[in-house]
Each structure stands twice: as structure tokens, then as C-alpha cells.
Amino acid sequence: MRTLAVLGATGSIGQQTLDIVRRAPDKFKVTALAAHSSADALFDLIREFRPAAAALVVEPRAIPEDLRACEWFFGENAAVRMLRAVRADDVLSAVVGIAGLPAALEALEVSGRLLLANKESLVTGGQLVMGRAAALHKPVLPVDSEHSAIFQCLQAQQGNPLRRLILTASGGPFRTWAKADIDSATAAQALGHPTWKMGPKITVDCATMMNKGLEVIEAHHLFGMPLDRIDVIVHPQSVIHSMVEFEDGAVLAQLGVPDMRVPIGYAMGCPVRIPFGGERLDFAKLGAMTFEAPDMERFPCLRMAVEAQKAGGVTPVALNGANEEAVGAFLKDEIPFGGIARVVEAVLSRTPGRNVTCVEDVYEADRTARAAAKAVIARGKTV
Ligand code: NDP
Ligand code: MG
């Protein structure tokens, strides 16, 4: 039985994580749950899983009588203090955005393993997180499906050098759209992902393909792979979740239905695979798998993300901060869809190349980028 803290418990990944706990109650005991402001949803989860501690960034008006035995934490760093109090074996972070970085770093200090869905913490603090994990000999297990696929393929590595990583991308809802149509896409269109059901921020990131750019950076940090040896290939069926290529030309892939409970469950049980309650892959029904090169012209966010990581230092932090602000503004109908890439581009053009030496450098660069992004977003529909 492993004890588990779930951060972002009320979200898409958080709920699917708890679904796995429901199916394997003999393997996992939830000892801590955290969310941002969805108090009622968190209350229901606490009634069901009875954790020792819980955290909310936004303090609710009252804690129901029956939930007062739980130790409560509120405010910006509530999850960090909660992790310190419970010291769970495993911490699964499914927070969205750079907001997950402090808790990811704390999880390494106080817990045994970090199961990481929150890719933005690696995009912004990758060197710090992976450096601390290495120093403390704590594993960072990927939850993101592509990185889980690579991690699973690497179980067959046996000391052999890798030639490259091949990340698959669905291409998102605008894969076949003309550039002008993409530019004026609505939030409803951007939120209609063809193969995956996810939270709103990552769904918009998939539509711009910023998500794949963030994943290239995530793979670079997780697997220590140089950027020029990480390829992206569009594979609309989302059945091959990613691949690794060895020196002899052999390519290993991990396949399955697009269901996040598979990579989440692999990280939770690792190295033991947990029986899966979902649909199984039916090759005859699938019929064909297709592949195409990504179009950097129609999807400039992918190109900008890779270039930002090449520039290094605070540049990927600025990219992420600008993107978080721009996606939020797009979802509030303040800027057009095409404006997301233009906000990011404008912020990057104003970001001086600076090194990251400590986590405060990351937060400072994030604040600066968000302020610059807000100034661009203020132009509204003309962005
Ligand atoms: P959701 O928006 O569905 O859920 C986000 C969760 O994080 C909610 O529980 C939310 O709480 C909490 N949260 C939001 N903001 C903050 C904050 N500032 N501080 C603390 N907690 C916060 O997101 P997803 O589950 O889709 O994604 C979570 C992460 O996993 C992202 O980094 C995403 O890129 C990654 N990921 C997601 C996949 C998916 O299939 N969904 C696939 C691969 C990676 P509240 O409900 O109170 O707002
Ligand atoms: Mg992914």
C-alpha cells in the first residue's frame, strides 16, 4: 500500500488519478488532496477518500462540520505546507501552469516519488527540478502520455545509447484548417479536441500546438536529450503515444487507446502495471495509422517553444508565462485565437537573455513576462 497526495485533484488528470485509486483500493491510500478554488468538488472527494490533509488556494467561507477532522491548508503555498505535513510516499501533481512548480520542488524534498503531469513546472524550472531529483535520488515519473510512452520504451534500453526521441502529436482540431481560419477560430472550436478529453488550458495548447512545444522541452529535461534529437510527428489517431530510436535503427513505440488512465496508472504503479478498466485497442477497427510533418507556419507556437528552449535561461519561462496569460485571455474572448501566438512572440522579442540560477529567477522572469503579455493583451481583438 502506497500513500498518495494528489495536487489538482478536482481537474481532468486529478479525477482520473482518483478513478485508478477507486479501482485499486488495496494498492493506494490517498492521504492528501489539493485544488485551487473548487471547494464543493474537493469536499466530495474528501468525504470519499478521507485524506489526513487537504489544501485550497482560495479559502472557502466555511468547512462543513463533517470535514473538520481533516487538517486544512489555505493560501498561495497551501499545497507546499500540506505536503510537508503529510509526507506521502508519492505526490501526483496535476496542477495546471507554473503554479505547480513550488509543490513539485517540495515533493522532491519530503516525498519518495514525484509523478508529474504538470509539464509547465519542467518547462519553467526543468533544470532545478531534475537537478534536485538527481541530488536526492528521487524519481520523477512522467504522467504525460508521450513521456510515459518514451519512459516505457526505455525499459528495454539496457545501457544502449539512444539516437532520438519521436514525440507524436494529434495535430489538434485545426490540423487541416487554413491559416486564416485558424486565426479566427472560436473558443468552442478550440476546445473540441478530436482524440483527448482534457482541461481547458491544455486543450487550447493542443489547438495552437504550443502543447507539443512544451512537451519537447519536457522531454529534453526528463530524458536529458538534446533538442536536435527530439522530433515531432503528427499522428492524428493518437494510438502511438511516442517512440524511441536506437543506434541500430530499431524504433520502439508504445501504443494504446487514447486514455490518460494508462499513463497515470503506469506512473502510480511503476514498475507494476495496474489492470485497466477502459476500452482496449482494436487494430482491425483502427484500420490505419497515418503520419505527417508538423506545419510550423500554421502552428508557430511549436517553433517558438523549441527556439525558446534553444535560447535557454529565462526564455522558456517567458514563453510559458506569456502563453498562460494569452490562453486565459483567449478563453475570456478578449483576444483572437491567432493572438495567442502573437502575444507570445511579442513577449519573447522583449525578453533579454538571462540565466536561471535559482527558483526566484524563474518567478521573477514569469512575473515580467506576464506583465509584458498583459500590455499586449490590452489591445484586445486587434492583437
Ligand atoms: P484541469 O484544468 O482539468 O485541472 C487543473 C487542476 O489544478 C484543478 O484541480 C485546479 O483546481 C488546480 N489548479 C488550477 N490552478 C491552480 C493553482 N494556481 N494552484 C493550485 N492548483 C490549481 O487541468 P488538467 O487536469 O487537464 O491538466 C493538469 C496538468 O496536467 C497540466 O499541466 C496539463 O498540461 C497536464 N496534462 C494534462 C493532460 C490531460 O489529459 N488533461 C494530459 C497530459 C498532461 P480547481 O478545480 O479548484 O480550479
Ligand atoms: Mg501529452
Side-chain angles (χ1 to χ4, degrees):
M1 177 80 90
R2 296 186 72 80
T3 56
L4 176 68
V6 183
L7 314 181
T10 50
S12 161
I13 294 287
Q15 290 181 46
Q16 294 179 83
T17 301
L18 294 169
D19 192 47
I20 294 167
V21 175
R22 280 187 197 103
R23 288 163 194 273
D26 54 320
K27 293 194 174 67
F28 308 103
K29 166 71 189 142
V30 175
T31 53
L33 291 172
H36 179 264
S37 46
S38 304
D40 290 339
L42 191 68
F43 293 160
D44 287 344
L45 294 174
I46 295 170
R47 287 194 180 95
E48 180 180 358
F49 292 97
R50 294 283 160 199
L56 278 167
V57 175
V58 178
E59 182 168 358
R61 256 184 243 130
I63 299 296
E65 189 69 41
D66 62 323
L67 303 181
R68 296 208 181 134
C70 187
E71 188 178 358
W72 281 95
F73 298 86
F74 303 112
E76 271 317 316
N77 61 355
V80 166
R81 285 180 282 125
M82 179 191 77
L83 291 179
R84 250 178 237 152
V86 296
R87 296 181 170 263
D89 295 329
D90 293 344
V91 176
L92 189 141
S93 178
V95 173
V96 61
I98 191 178
L101 179 57
L105 286 166
E106 188 63 26
L108 292 171
E109 303 296 327
V110 300
S111 285
R113 310 190 305 177
L114 173 60
L115 322 183
L116 198 59
N118 172 229
K119 65 191 79 183
E120 296 91 345
S121 61
L122 285 180
V123 170
T124 56
Q127 265 174 320
L128 300 168
V129 171
M130 296 313 290
R132 201 63 197 137
L136 294 166
H137 305 290
K138 302 270 178 83
V140 179
L141 297 170
V143 168
D144 211 347
S145 59
E146 294 78 1
H147 307 76
S148 174
I150 290 167
F151 182 66
Q152 292 181 52
C153 293
L154 290 180
Q155 305 310 308
Q157 186 175 9
Q158 300 197 311
N160 287 290
L162 282 177
R163 189 170 174 83
R164 60 178 175 142
L165 305 178
I166 306 159
L167 292 182
T168 52
S170 71
F174 307 142
R175 181 176 60 89
T176 58
W177 288 31
K179 192 168 171 52
D181 297 333
I182 297 176
D183 204 83
S184 56
T186 64
Q189 289 167 328
L191 290 173
H193 194 276
T195 46
W196 297 97
K197 174 104 193 62
M198 308 171 289
K201 194 264 180 179
I202 184 176
T203 307
V204 174
D205 283 347
C206 286
T208 58
M209 288 195 79
M210 177 62 89
N211 182 55
K212 209 49 55 180
L214 301 180
E215 290 185 353
V216 168
I217 303 173
E218 183 185 10
H220 164 73
H221 289 299
L222 278 171
F223 306 112
M225 188 58 114
L227 292 173
D228 59 0
R229 282 161 57 197
I230 305 175
D231 290 352
V232 171
I233 185 82
V234 175
H235 163 48
Q237 297 81 20
S238 302
V239 163
I240 296 181
H241 298 311
S242 277
M243 303 177 259
V244 304
E245 185 184 306
F246 291 99
E247 287 296 335
D248 61 355
V251 177
L252 264 56
Q254 186 260 342
L255 287 72
V257 290
D259 186 325
M260 280 309 295
R261 288 174 302 175
V262 179
I264 298 169
Y266 189 75
M268 287 169 69
C270 192
V272 176
R273 289 182 185 271
I274 300 165
F276 174 59
E279 212 184 308
R280 305 247 158 203
L281 187 55
D282 180 337
F283 282 94
K285 212 160 95 188
L286 175 66
M289 289 194 282
T290 58
F291 304 93
E292 58 200 66
D295 183 341
M296 305 287 188
E297 228 263 300
R298 285 182 306 133
F299 299 100
C301 287
L302 172 56
R303 175 183 48 75
M304 285 192 285
V306 177
E307 282 171 6
Q309 182 57 37
K310 276 190 190 143
V314 296
T315 315
V317 183
L319 169 101
N320 179 75
N323 184 56
E324 286 193 31
E325 290 294 330
V327 171
F330 167 69
L331 287 172
K332 283 188 268 170
D333 199 27
E334 291 170 3
I335 60 168
F337 182 81
I340 297 173
R342 290 190 285 274
V343 169
V344 173
E345 192 176 23
V347 171
L348 288 179
S349 73
R350 281 169 222 171
T351 302
R354 241 185 238 128
N355 283 339
V356 168
T357 52
C358 63
V359 77
E360 199 37 57
D361 292 346
V362 174
Y363 299 137
E364 174 62 32
D366 178 61
R367 282 192 293 270
T368 307
R370 283 173 192 269
K374 281 182 183 141
V376 182
I377 289 165
R379 298 210 304 263
K381 299 281 180 182
T382 63
V383 171

